[in-house]
Structures are given as C-alpha cells and as structure tokens.
Amino acid sequence: GADETAFDEKVVKRIKRGETTRTEVLAIAGPPTGQFIYPTPQATVPGRRAYVYGYSRSERLAPATLETANKVLTITFDDHDVVAELSLVMTTISRPLPSGDRS
C-alpha cells in the first residue's frame, strides 16, 4: 500500500537499542524479509541473530528512465533477544529503459 515507502522512518523511530525486544520488533515491523544467525556479517557474535527488512520500488521518471529505490533495514539482536544494532541503508538507481520498452 501507500504506507510502505514510509516503513523505515516509522519503524526505526519506534525501535530502541538496548530496550526493544525481538517480539516487539515483530509487532512493530512484521515478519522480516530475511534472517541471519551467527556466524554471518550481520550476526558476528555467538548467540546473536539479525532480521533484515528489504523494500524496493521502481517507477518510470522520464519516458525512457526507470528509477529503483531500495531500502534495507537490518536489526541485530543480542543473546537476550534485545536490539543491539540498527542500520538502514538506502540506495537509488536510475537507468535507461531498453528502446523497445518506450511508449
């Protein structure tokens, strides 16, 4: 829905490092797109796990340009299932559409 573009701002403000639990994160943000457990770059300490929320939206800007916005929210939990780290990465890519795709 129209709300999805704002998921990150609303969600990130409600999640507090050292306070919010994994159960609360699920209630606030819903089920994650992906999960990581130790040992991975997102969960570098034994007992830790991370939830990843990904969002992608594409729209045509000019007749021949496609812009894709990607947002990835990574939430790492400590071994007590409390938020230890939070990171939001946003990237935007614009690319020309193939000539056969122009209308």
Side-chain angles (χ1 to χ4, degrees), residues 51-64:
Y51 279 1
V52 176
Y53 292 87
Y55 172 79
S56 181
R57 181 178 52 84
S58 295
E59 67 178 325
R60 285 171 82 141
L61 295 184

Side-chain angles (χ1 to χ4, degrees), residues 58-68 93-98 101:
S58 295
E59 67 178 325
R60 285 171 82 141
L61 295 184
T65 306
L66 185 72
E67 183 181 272
T68 303
I93 302 157
S94 292
R95 62 184 178 81
L97 286 166
D101 225 13

Side-chain angles (χ1 to χ4, degrees), residues 33-53:
T33 320
Q35 279 191 63
F36 295 92
I37 56 170
Y38 174 82
T40 52
Q42 293 84 358
T44 53
V45 180
R48 288 199 172 184
R49 73 166 74 201
Y51 279 1
V52 176
Y53 292 87

Side-chain angles (χ1 to χ4, degrees), residues 15-85:
I15 295 171
K16 306 272 187 284
R17 267 188 210 123
E19 285 179 36
T20 311
T21 65
R22 192 160 59 86
T23 307
E24 289 169 335
V25 167
L26 286 169
I28 294 166
T33 320
Q35 279 191 63
F36 295 92
I37 56 170
Y38 174 82
T40 52
Q42 293 84 358
T44 53
V45 180
R48 288 199 172 184
R49 73 166 74 201
Y51 279 1
V52 176
Y53 292 87
Y55 172 79
S56 181
R57 181 178 52 84
S58 295
E59 67 178 325
R60 285 171 82 141
L61 295 184
T65 306
L66 185 72
E67 183 181 272
T68 303
N70 293 299
K71 299 176 183 183
V72 178
L73 173 65
T74 305
I75 302 167
T76 306
F77 301 94
D78 65 16
D79 48 5
H80 302 292
D81 269 352
V82 174
V83 174
E85 291 170 44

